[in-house]
Amino acid sequence: MHKLTIAGIVEGLGRGDFSSEEITRHYLRRIEQLDARYNSFISVTPDQAVARARAADKRRSKGDAPPLCGVPIAHKDIFCTEGIRTSCGSKMLDNFVPPYSATAVDNLAQAGCVTLGKTNMDEFAMGSSNETSFYGEVGNPWDTGRVPGGSSGGSAAAVAAHLCPAATGTDTGGSIRQPASLCGITGLKPTYGRVSRYGMVAFASSLDQAGPMTRSAEDAALLLQAMAGFDPRDSTCSDIEVPDYSAGLDKPIDGLRIGLPREYFEQGLDTGTETAVRGALAELEAMGARLVDIDLPHSHLSVAAYYVIAPAEASANLSRFDGVRYGYRCKNPRDLNDMYTRTRTEGFGDEVKRRILVGTYVLSAGYYDAYYRQAQKIRRLIKNDFLAAFEQVDVIAGPTSPTTAFEMGAKSADPVQMYLEDIYTIATNLAGLPGMSIPAGIIDGLPLGLQLIGNYFDESRLLNIGHRFQQATDWHQQTVSQCMQEV
Ligand code: GLN
């Protein structure tokens, strides 16, 4: 059963091949027996899952099944889940049980999904390797000595290891796409505003966006369909109508104009990565797409601008963790100041503190103009680059990540090296555009993704291209035999 995609599970449940309770128990058993290898889950919720699965089976037998009725999935531990601990990978929220669920979680529950548990992640979604989690690092299922990417590393590893058929993730600078690339799965970051951010622990509010992490583009369409839509509780959530994402999957792609940014291909691109990406592009070309060279002249400024804007927003968002309202509080504070100081000193990890320091600095009087305002101006230039490019092409393609999965510890001592992991993904967040990573090759036994960047609210096109590519290739079906093991 763990070989099935979401589309396959929906069919199997519909035909009565198995019940939701059976497949839910199957995945719970896999998590229990295999996750010690990967550490991809922070919390597993067997009782709630089985109860929800039984309710789904009952609904189905009454002929009243919503589209994903009884499909088990996992949620990144950044999404608030009513009555289920939501840690955000931090000691600060180790004891936090939210009284409500995020809209994305609620929407998936409305569509019938069953929650298996909450997946591991970099602390407060800050990282590219899942090594900053309070709950320990996550092993990449392709090689457990290597990182799964981050910050949605637990979700990516869990899907790749067949511990769940799909999971949610969030992407502030690449956190859905980069782990998807490193774990050989499909990950879609929608347009900013497509999915509600309500109930998602905020990192950088103008960049954060939730999306699906799946084994196919077809599955990403099914999940996004349920997640997306207007939410009056998030003022940045768009009320543009949600199209039928599955309807357009099979459309032919001949005549499609794919832009290849010179900046992504010319400057020091790893040769293995280039070979895999060019191979995938040749495949799309063979299907009738046209490859067009384009320029994104301000690309080289995106990481620098992001590491001013994201920490600035994080420093404001994380000020709420002060030991007063909820979450961790230090023992025996002497006075109010001592409580604030020790709560935050003891509750946050190093990377989070680094971001808070940088963010506070760039927002302070005297530096605001020199750093924050400049970064915002660069952000506009980056957005304009994309707008100009989309005058010439329908979609933009390039690598998702600079290389395949690196060894644990290889970059943790050098924050700048780690920050460069997102060199191809960050501009998309700064511009608010949708981006998707699909498996496009295997180099020395490790998977790597192709990134597709779309125009605003053009997720349908990304899913269509991804699906056509996956009909013609089998990179997305590759897996290590250890992950297919029966339990
Ligand atoms: N790696 C980037 C960071 O550390 C992006 C993380 C994310 O997308 N949440 O900020």
PDB file of all heavy atoms in Angstrom, residues 208-226:
ATOM      1  N   ASP A 208       6.673  33.825   3.597  1.00  0.00           N
ATOM      2  CA  ASP A 208       6.187  32.483   3.953  1.00  0.00           C
ATOM      3  C   ASP A 208       5.021  32.046   3.076  1.00  0.00           C
ATOM      4  O   ASP A 208       4.092  32.821   2.842  1.00  0.00           O
ATOM      5  CB  ASP A 208       5.641  32.455   5.400  1.00  0.00           C
ATOM      6  CG  ASP A 208       6.671  32.792   6.469  1.00  0.00           C
ATOM      7  OD1 ASP A 208       7.873  32.727   6.190  1.00  0.00           O
ATOM      8  OD2 ASP A 208       6.241  33.122   7.597  1.00  0.00           O
ATOM      9  N   GLN A 209       5.061  30.813   2.625  1.00  0.00           N
ATOM     10  CA  GLN A 209       3.921  30.261   1.886  1.00  0.00           C
ATOM     11  C   GLN A 209       3.901  28.746   2.061  1.00  0.00           C
ATOM     12  O   GLN A 209       4.935  28.092   2.040  1.00  0.00           O
ATOM     13  CB  GLN A 209       4.018  30.650   0.406  1.00  0.00           C
ATOM     14  CG  GLN A 209       2.870  30.223  -0.474  1.00  0.00           C
ATOM     15  CD  GLN A 209       1.493  30.783  -0.099  1.00  0.00           C
ATOM     16  OE1 GLN A 209       0.489  30.227  -0.497  1.00  0.00           O
ATOM     17  NE2 GLN A 209       1.405  31.858   0.664  1.00  0.00           N
ATOM     18  N   ALA A 210       2.695  28.195   2.267  1.00  0.00           N
ATOM     19  CA  ALA A 210       2.540  26.759   2.470  1.00  0.00           C
ATOM     20  C   ALA A 210       2.285  26.053   1.149  1.00  0.00           C
ATOM     21  O   ALA A 210       1.715  26.648   0.231  1.00  0.00           O
ATOM     22  CB  ALA A 210       1.363  26.503   3.403  1.00  0.00           C
ATOM     23  N   GLY A 211       2.697  24.797   1.045  1.00  0.00           N
ATOM     24  CA  GLY A 211       2.426  24.045  -0.176  1.00  0.00           C
ATOM     25  C   GLY A 211       2.595  22.555   0.033  1.00  0.00           C
ATOM     26  O   GLY A 211       3.024  22.101   1.100  1.00  0.00           O
ATOM     27  N   PRO A 212       2.250  21.775  -0.991  1.00  0.00           N
ATOM     28  CA  PRO A 212       2.302  20.319  -0.896  1.00  0.00           C
ATOM     29  C   PRO A 212       3.667  19.714  -1.231  1.00  0.00           C
ATOM     30  O   PRO A 212       4.382  20.234  -2.080  1.00  0.00           O
ATOM     31  CB  PRO A 212       1.274  19.872  -1.943  1.00  0.00           C
ATOM     32  CG  PRO A 212       1.242  20.970  -2.959  1.00  0.00           C
ATOM     33  CD  PRO A 212       1.613  22.239  -2.247  1.00  0.00           C
ATOM     34  N   MET A 213       3.996  18.606  -0.566  1.00  0.00           N
ATOM     35  CA  MET A 213       5.197  17.818  -0.858  1.00  0.00           C
ATOM     36  C   MET A 213       4.727  16.388  -1.121  1.00  0.00           C
ATOM     37  O   MET A 213       4.163  15.745  -0.222  1.00  0.00           O
ATOM     38  CB  MET A 213       6.175  17.900   0.307  1.00  0.00           C
ATOM     39  CG  MET A 213       6.522  19.364   0.609  1.00  0.00           C
ATOM     40  SD  MET A 213       7.691  19.613   1.932  1.00  0.00           S
ATOM     41  CE  MET A 213       9.220  19.134   1.147  1.00  0.00           C
ATOM     42  N   THR A 214       4.916  15.929  -2.338  1.00  0.00           N
ATOM     43  CA  THR A 214       4.257  14.710  -2.789  1.00  0.00           C
ATOM     44  C   THR A 214       5.206  13.863  -3.633  1.00  0.00           C
ATOM     45  O   THR A 214       6.350  14.223  -3.843  1.00  0.00           O
ATOM     46  CB  THR A 214       3.036  15.083  -3.662  1.00  0.00           C
ATOM     47  OG1 THR A 214       3.492  15.905  -4.738  1.00  0.00           O
ATOM     48  CG2 THR A 214       1.987  15.842  -2.873  1.00  0.00           C
ATOM     49  N   ARG A 215       4.695  12.746  -4.126  1.00  0.00           N
ATOM     50  CA  ARG A 215       5.516  11.910  -5.006  1.00  0.00           C
ATOM     51  C   ARG A 215       5.245  12.145  -6.484  1.00  0.00           C
ATOM     52  O   ARG A 215       5.873  11.523  -7.329  1.00  0.00           O
ATOM     53  CB  ARG A 215       5.337  10.432  -4.647  1.00  0.00           C
ATOM     54  CG  ARG A 215       6.170  10.062  -3.415  1.00  0.00           C
ATOM     55  CD  ARG A 215       6.449   8.582  -3.356  1.00  0.00           C
ATOM     56  NE  ARG A 215       5.259   7.871  -2.935  1.00  0.00           N
ATOM     57  CZ  ARG A 215       4.922   7.680  -1.666  1.00  0.00           C
ATOM     58  NH1 ARG A 215       5.678   8.124  -0.705  1.00  0.00           N
ATOM     59  NH2 ARG A 215       3.830   7.029  -1.368  1.00  0.00           N
ATOM     60  N   SER A 216       4.294  13.021  -6.787  1.00  0.00           N
ATOM     61  CA  SER A 216       4.030  13.328  -8.192  1.00  0.00           C
ATOM     62  C   SER A 216       3.356  14.689  -8.313  1.00  0.00           C
ATOM     63  O   SER A 216       2.796  15.211  -7.341  1.00  0.00           O
ATOM     64  CB  SER A 216       3.106  12.263  -8.806  1.00  0.00           C
ATOM     65  OG  SER A 216       1.805  12.389  -8.243  1.00  0.00           O
ATOM     66  N   ALA A 217       3.426  15.244  -9.512  1.00  0.00           N
ATOM     67  CA  ALA A 217       2.754  16.522  -9.778  1.00  0.00           C
ATOM     68  C   ALA A 217       1.234  16.330  -9.689  1.00  0.00           C
ATOM     69  O   ALA A 217       0.510  17.212  -9.237  1.00  0.00           O
ATOM     70  CB  ALA A 217       3.148  17.036 -11.160  1.00  0.00           C
ATOM     71  N   GLU A 218       0.781  15.162 -10.121  1.00  0.00           N
ATOM     72  CA  GLU A 218      -0.653  14.861 -10.047  1.00  0.00           C
ATOM     73  C   GLU A 218      -1.134  14.955  -8.593  1.00  0.00           C
ATOM     74  O   GLU A 218      -2.182  15.532  -8.294  1.00  0.00           O
ATOM     75  CB  GLU A 218      -0.881  13.437 -10.597  1.00  0.00           C
ATOM     76  CG  GLU A 218      -2.329  13.038 -10.688  1.00  0.00           C
ATOM     77  CD  GLU A 218      -2.509  11.588 -11.154  1.00  0.00           C
ATOM     78  OE1 GLU A 218      -1.563  10.782 -10.994  1.00  0.00           O
ATOM     79  OE2 GLU A 218      -3.601  11.275 -11.663  1.00  0.00           O
ATOM     80  N   ASP A 219      -0.343  14.410  -7.671  1.00  0.00           N
ATOM     81  CA  ASP A 219      -0.699  14.482  -6.247  1.00  0.00           C
ATOM     82  C   ASP A 219      -0.618  15.914  -5.720  1.00  0.00           C
ATOM     83  O   ASP A 219      -1.421  16.321  -4.871  1.00  0.00           O
ATOM     84  CB  ASP A 219       0.246  13.606  -5.411  1.00  0.00           C
ATOM     85  CG  ASP A 219      -0.128  12.123  -5.500  1.00  0.00           C
ATOM     86  OD1 ASP A 219      -1.037  11.786  -6.275  1.00  0.00           O
ATOM     87  OD2 ASP A 219       0.505  11.319  -4.786  1.00  0.00           O
ATOM     88  N   ALA A 220       0.365  16.657  -6.211  1.00  0.00           N
ATOM     89  CA  ALA A 220       0.489  18.054  -5.765  1.00  0.00           C
ATOM     90  C   ALA A 220      -0.764  18.833  -6.158  1.00  0.00           C
ATOM     91  O   ALA A 220      -1.239  19.686  -5.399  1.00  0.00           O
ATOM     92  CB  ALA A 220       1.738  18.695  -6.364  1.00  0.00           C
ATOM     93  N   ALA A 221      -1.310  18.525  -7.341  1.00  0.00           N
ATOM     94  CA  ALA A 221      -2.548  19.188  -7.784  1.00  0.00           C
ATOM     95  C   ALA A 221      -3.697  18.861  -6.823  1.00  0.00           C
ATOM     96  O   ALA A 221      -4.467  19.742  -6.430  1.00  0.00           O
ATOM     97  CB  ALA A 221      -2.896  18.746  -9.209  1.00  0.00           C
ATOM     98  N   LEU A 222      -3.788  17.601  -6.426  1.00  0.00           N
ATOM     99  CA  LEU A 222      -4.877  17.193  -5.522  1.00  0.00           C
ATOM    100  C   LEU A 222      -4.771  17.892  -4.166  1.00  0.00           C
ATOM    101  O   LEU A 222      -5.767  18.353  -3.605  1.00  0.00           O
ATOM    102  CB  LEU A 222      -4.849  15.671  -5.316  1.00  0.00           C
ATOM    103  CG  LEU A 222      -5.218  14.830  -6.541  1.00  0.00           C
ATOM    104  CD1 LEU A 222      -4.932  13.349  -6.286  1.00  0.00           C
ATOM    105  CD2 LEU A 222      -6.701  15.029  -6.883  1.00  0.00           C
ATOM    106  N   LEU A 223      -3.541  17.962  -3.650  1.00  0.00           N
ATOM    107  CA  LEU A 223      -3.362  18.581  -2.333  1.00  0.00           C
ATOM    108  C   LEU A 223      -3.558  20.091  -2.390  1.00  0.00           C
ATOM    109  O   LEU A 223      -4.213  20.677  -1.524  1.00  0.00           O
ATOM    110  CB  LEU A 223      -1.970  18.240  -1.784  1.00  0.00           C
ATOM    111  CG  LEU A 223      -1.980  17.463  -0.477  1.00  0.00           C
ATOM    112  CD1 LEU A 223      -2.715  16.149  -0.622  1.00  0.00           C
ATOM    113  CD2 LEU A 223      -0.571  17.218   0.041  1.00  0.00           C
ATOM    114  N   LEU A 224      -2.982  20.720  -3.428  1.00  0.00           N
ATOM    115  CA  LEU A 224      -3.104  22.176  -3.531  1.00  0.00           C
ATOM    116  C   LEU A 224      -4.573  22.577  -3.673  1.00  0.00           C
ATOM    117  O   LEU A 224      -5.014  23.580  -3.116  1.00  0.00           O
ATOM    118  CB  LEU A 224      -2.281  22.717  -4.711  1.00  0.00           C
ATOM    119  CG  LEU A 224      -2.322  24.239  -4.861  1.00  0.00           C
ATOM    120  CD1 LEU A 224      -1.733  24.935  -3.632  1.00  0.00           C
ATOM    121  CD2 LEU A 224      -1.606  24.694  -6.120  1.00  0.00           C
ATOM    122  N   GLN A 225      -5.318  21.775  -4.412  1.00  0.00           N
ATOM    123  CA  GLN A 225      -6.751  22.035  -4.599  1.00  0.00           C
ATOM    124  C   GLN A 225      -7.439  22.209  -3.241  1.00  0.00           C
ATOM    125  O   GLN A 225      -8.265  23.095  -3.059  1.00  0.00           O
ATOM    126  CB  GLN A 225      -7.395  20.847  -5.329  1.00  0.00           C
ATOM    127  CG  GLN A 225      -8.745  21.160  -5.922  1.00  0.00           C
ATOM    128  CD  GLN A 225      -8.588  22.039  -7.158  1.00  0.00           C
ATOM    129  OE1 GLN A 225      -7.795  21.733  -8.029  1.00  0.00           O
ATOM    130  NE2 GLN A 225      -9.319  23.127  -7.209  1.00  0.00           N
ATOM    131  N   ALA A 226      -7.068  21.334  -2.315  1.00  0.00           N
ATOM    132  CA  ALA A 226      -7.702  21.391  -1.000  1.00  0.00           C
ATOM    133  C   ALA A 226      -7.148  22.531  -0.145  1.00  0.00           C
ATOM    134  O   ALA A 226      -7.875  23.154   0.624  1.00  0.00           O
ATOM    135  CB  ALA A 226      -7.510  20.054  -0.281  1.00  0.00           C
TER     136      ALA A 226
END
